[in-house]
Amino acid sequence: MTDIRYRSVDVDGIDIFYREAGVPGAPKLLLLHGFPTSSHMFRDLIPKLADRYHLVAPDMPGFGRSGLPETNRFESLADSMTGFTERVGFDRFAVYVFDFGAPTAFRMALRHPERITAIISQNGNAYEEGLGDGWNPVRAYWEDPSQTNRDALRTLLTEETTIWQYTHGVPEPERVSPDGYMLDMHYLARAGIADVQLDLFGDYRYNIEMYPAFQAYFRTHRPPFLAVWGQHDPFFLPPGAQAFKRDMPEADVQFFDTGHFALETHAEEIAAAIRRFLG
């Protein structure tokens, strides 16, 4: 059985919960989750990698068991996660990004490119062609940030939508454990969390404005790059994964017959791809 430790650390006044496994001194791997989940999404992946890597998986501010951010912006998430890596001694590390974790980590890479040894992107987008129709309600809010359009986004916080995010595009939905999406709903029900998520939906437009900067980072620094993509994702489409090769021709892009939450059904295959990639 993998020895996983469950810890918390104060980062600029915010309590950050995280999971840690592996041997200190081994190659470091930071795992960053997305919406609406937490470090719990890595529960199956961590034991498959802990014999070879030193892993930490934080709950970002406003997610899971971590405290609320001071401001609900991706810049603030990047601030907190940069501070977190410094507090836990991750000076140079590979990073696994998913969904909201991608623009958070790409901001971190822009600030400190020397700290990033490799990137693994699981449905973590950086190209406009990767944005699917699932973003249409959020785009409407960007174009008209009215209270009506903000309230319309509350449907993205419901149990029905959360289950759909987990099961859409999965050939065998019965392989998706209900534990993941029910835990997400528990955390989404925390006081103040709905406004955090609605604010982040609004702020995501600035991630798109930063796509050219992210792409310039890829071209300039050429980090070793692996994309492991659920090919039926309604939010981040396969063209977004393929686009990484435009800026990093040596990038390894792999698709899996599943949806947005690829680790729910393909943790074994993704872990094997990571082990081959990182060595």
Side-chain angles (χ1 to χ4, degrees):
M1 181 176 294
T2 302
D3 185 13
I4 301 175
R5 305 299 175 96
Y6 303 92
R7 310 181 190 274
S8 294
V9 64
D10 182 279
V11 178
D12 297 325
I14 303 172
D15 186 60
I16 302 295
F17 172 84
Y18 66 102
R19 301 162 193 258
E20 183 172 14
V23 181
K28 298 177 175 68
L29 178 57
L30 172 70
L31 307 170
L32 290 185
H33 66 82
F35 169 83
T37 188
S38 65
S39 62
H40 181 257
M41 71 168 280
F42 299 112
R43 66 196 180 280
D44 293 329
L45 184 66
I46 289 173
K48 301 179 189 306
L49 300 176
D51 65 315
R52 190 177 295 183
Y53 312 106
H54 180 191
L55 304 109
V56 293
D59 291 356
M60 292 193 292
F63 294 82
R65 296 181 59 84
S66 288
L68 296 179
E70 292 186 5
T71 57
N72 305 326
R73 301 190 61 202
F74 282 88
E75 284 289 338
S76 300
L77 292 181
D79 291 341
S80 294
M81 291 298 94
T82 297
F84 170 78
T85 58
E86 293 168 353
R87 288 297 308 274
V88 300
F90 266 42
D91 51 352
R92 280 178 53 79
F93 53 90
V95 60
Y96 182 115
V97 303
F98 166 69
D99 189 81
F100 279 12
T104 301
F106 297 157
R107 279 176 164 81
M108 295 167 66
L110 285 176
R111 298 175 185 181
H112 298 287
E114 74 284 355
R115 298 182 182 181
I116 306 300
T117 61
I119 297 174
I120 302 148
S121 178
Q122 185 241 301
N123 299 72
N125 192 60
Y127 297 87
E128 289 204 40
E129 56 262 53
L131 297 173
D133 291 342
W135 284 95
N136 288 346
V138 184
R139 287 184 182 276
Y141 182 49
W142 297 341
E143 294 168 3
D144 176 16
S146 64
Q147 189 63 45
T148 297
N149 284 339
R150 181 180 174 89
D151 288 341
L153 296 181
R154 292 184 183 275
T155 60
L156 299 177
L157 309 179
T158 64
E159 180 176 329
E160 180 182 13
T161 301
T162 302
I163 294 173
W164 178 84
Q165 287 184 71
Y166 270 79
T167 58
H168 178 81
V170 180
E172 298 177 274
E174 61 272 18
R175 292 184 59 199
V176 177
S177 169
D179 299 334
Y181 53 74
M182 294 309 296
L183 184 62
D184 288 352
M185 290 308 306
H186 169 75
Y187 289 138
L188 281 172
R190 291 168 57 199
I193 297 301
D195 283 330
V196 171
Q197 303 304 333
L198 294 174
D199 287 349
L200 288 175
F201 290 149
D203 193 63
Y204 200 94
R205 67 184 300 175
Y206 300 109
N207 293 330
I208 297 174
E209 291 180 5
M210 290 193 69
Y211 280 1
F214 297 159
Q215 294 158 19
Y217 160 79
F218 299 146
R219 288 192 302 272
T220 300
H221 295 281
R222 297 290 182 92
F225 197 96
L226 170 66
V228 285
W229 218 265
Q231 63 185 8
H232 307 303
D233 188 340
F235 301 103
F236 299 120
L237 308 178
Q242 294 163 336
F244 285 113
K245 294 182 73 69
R246 189 164 66 227
D247 293 307
M248 298 173 289
E250 66 280 9
D252 184 0
V253 178
Q254 301 182 29
F255 293 101
F256 298 91
D257 187 17
T258 191
H260 186 58
F261 284 95
L263 285 177
E264 296 297 310
T265 54
H266 287 72
E268 187 76 42
E269 295 88 341
I270 290 173
I274 292 171
R275 293 171 76 92
R276 290 191 298 269
F277 171 65
L278 293 179

